[in-house]
């Protein structure tokens, strides 16, 4: 099977469309298989009415179509328009930083490699937080900058630097988790995958050995990370009103003025004695 061309992804909205083509390469197919198994594990106990998928559509279509949430909304990245997808479905292409979705209406949001190709990754997360219902979940897939994949991106020069996925701004799972925490999310599950070097020719074509060694010795340096976080909403605890009549702070009466008198005791010493008088006139 010929390798599809990887065109320049710097044009507006072109990055994720080129990434769909990259998933047809041998390395992309291997990554798609691992990410598909990861998404199945993260979605197996996720329920609701609506699932929003932003970005990649065709590469992960088979996995997300089998989740428990039957109503899927597909929003590929790109200029705002409509196009027909596979099976006659209609896809609306939008900016992931400005989602045309009502607030507090989505049960789960899937962001596969959207943050590293977005103009403002934090704005994308803010939009995901806005559209999610309380206790809704967001699932993020991203390329890890602290890995051989991140090193491959740093070494890219010229035309290679313009190709996907190396033209994206790779992030670290620690930074993404910190952004989620600031937005009120709690990270539930975090997985790592793809420990093999991202070059076509390696000493070990089978990545099983790399995965076994990487998971045990250097899990931080995996090429791809996956995070599932839940949206927490702080609620106010209602207090039961007290119907007992409280003492008035201002009674309306004039204050009582104390009076000090000296009382002589046998022996000559005078002791102070305090008495109360009526209201001052």
């Amino acid at each position: 099977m010929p390798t599809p061309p990887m065109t320049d992804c710097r044009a507006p909205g072109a990055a994720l469309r080129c990434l769909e083509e990259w998933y047809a390469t041998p390395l992309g197919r291997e990554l798609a298989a691992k990410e598909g198994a990861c998404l199945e594990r993260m979605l197996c106990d996720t329920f609701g009415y609506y699932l929003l998928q932003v970005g990649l559509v065709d590469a992960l279509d088979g996995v997300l179509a089998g989740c428990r949430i039957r109503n899927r909304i597909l929003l590929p990245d790109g200029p705002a328009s409509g196009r027909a997808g596979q099976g006659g479905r209609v896809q609306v292409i939008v900016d992931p930083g400005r989602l045309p979705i009502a607030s507090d209406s989505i049960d789960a949001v899937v962001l596969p490699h959207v943050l590293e190709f977005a103009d403002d990754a934090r704005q994308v997360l803010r939009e995901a937080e806005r559209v999610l219902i309380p206790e809704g979940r967001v699932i993020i897939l991203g390329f890890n900058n602290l890995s051989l994949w991140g090193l491959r991106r740093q070494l890219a020069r010229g035309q290679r630097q313009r190709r996907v996925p190396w033209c994206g701004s790779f992030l670290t799972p620690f930074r993404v988790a910190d952004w989620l925490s600031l937005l009120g999310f709690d990270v539930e599950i975090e997985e790592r995958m793809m420990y093999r070097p991202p070059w076509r020719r390696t000493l070990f074509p089978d990545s099983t050995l790399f995965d076994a060694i990487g998971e045990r010795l250097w899990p931080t340096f995996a090429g791809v990370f996956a995070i599932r976080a839940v949206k927490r909403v702080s609620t106010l605890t209602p207090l039961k009103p007290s119907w007992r009549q409280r003492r008035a702070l201002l009674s309306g009466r004039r204050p009582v003025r104390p009076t000090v008198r000296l009382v002589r005791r046998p022996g000559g010493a005078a002791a102070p004695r305090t008495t109360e008088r009526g209201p001052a006139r």
Side-chain angles (χ1 to χ4, degrees):
M1 179 177 179
T3 301
M6 290 180 288
T7 57
D8 191 350
C9 66
R10 294 187 178 183
L16 292 179
R17 291 198 299 271
C18 296
L19 191 61
E20 292 272 13
E21 300 177 355
W22 179 82
Y23 268 90
T25 64
L27 185 59
R29 290 194 298 268
E30 181 180 350
L31 176 59
K34 294 182 180 297
E35 289 181 341
C38 176
L39 286 177
E40 287 182 353
R41 292 189 294 269
M42 291 190 171
L43 289 172
C44 66
D45 57 347
T46 303
F47 305 92
Y49 294 99
Y50 296 102
L51 181 144
L52 175 63
Q53 179 184 349
V54 183
L56 296 177
V57 174
D58 298 331
L60 303 174
D61 180 67
V63 177
L64 297 178
C67 68
R68 298 176 182 269
I69 303 177
R70 296 301 180 183
N71 299 316
R72 296 171 57 207
I73 303 174
L74 309 178
L75 296 181
D77 185 20
S81 62
R83 68 181 176 91
Q86 296 180 356
R89 68 191 179 208
V90 177
Q91 301 172 359
V92 180
I93 306 176
V94 298
D95 181 4
R98 294 180 294 177
L99 299 176
I101 303 294
S103 302
D104 303 325
S105 60
I106 303 296
D107 299 278
V109 176
V110 181
L111 302 175
H113 302 289
V114 176
L115 300 183
E116 51 261 55
F117 296 103
D119 295 334
D120 190 348
R122 286 174 289 186
Q123 175 60 28
V124 175
L125 292 180
R126 283 191 288 267
E127 279 292 280
E129 189 274 337
R130 180 185 65 83
V131 302
L132 277 174
I133 65 172
E135 303 300 321
R137 285 165 172 79
V138 59
I139 299 177
I140 300 171
L141 296 175
F143 293 107
N144 184 13
N145 198 33
L146 294 177
S147 65
L148 293 176
W149 291 62
L151 179 62
R152 166 68 174 80
R153 172 182 171 272
Q154 296 295 332
L155 296 177
R157 293 291 184 273
Q159 293 296 328
R160 292 184 178 182
Q161 195 175 16
R162 298 183 179 182
R163 297 180 178 180
V164 292
W166 321 117
C167 61
S169 299
F170 289 8
L171 302 171
T172 64
F174 311 107
R175 174 173 293 185
V176 175
D178 183 56
W179 288 347
L180 291 171
S181 176
L182 293 176
L183 291 174
F185 286 91
D186 288 341
V187 176
E188 292 183 316
I189 304 175
E190 184 174 343
E191 293 190 14
R192 312 287 175 87
M193 65 198 81
M194 293 300 289
Y195 294 90
R196 60 161 293 174
W199 290 278
R200 295 180 181 180
R201 296 181 180 180
T202 59
L203 297 177
F204 303 95
D206 188 8
S207 62
T208 305
L209 179 61
F210 285 100
D211 292 339
I213 298 176
E215 291 177 359
R216 180 179 296 272
L217 298 182
W218 54 80
T220 305
F221 304 107
V224 178
F225 63 89
I227 295 177
R228 191 184 81 175
V230 59
K231 176 182 175 180
R232 301 297 188 189
V233 178
S234 58
T235 58
L236 299 178
T237 304
L239 299 178
K240 184 178 180 180
S242 176
W243 299 107
R244 293 184 304 175
Q245 187 175 5
R246 297 183 178 180
R247 183 179 178 182
L249 297 179
L250 298 177
S251 62
R253 297 182 302 174
R254 304 180 69 177
V256 177
R257 183 175 58 186
T259 302
V260 178
R261 295 190 306 170
L262 295 178
V263 179
R264 288 193 174 275
R265 295 179 180 178
R273 181 177 181 182
T274 302
T275 60
E276 293 186 356
R277 296 180 57 186
R281 296 181 180 179

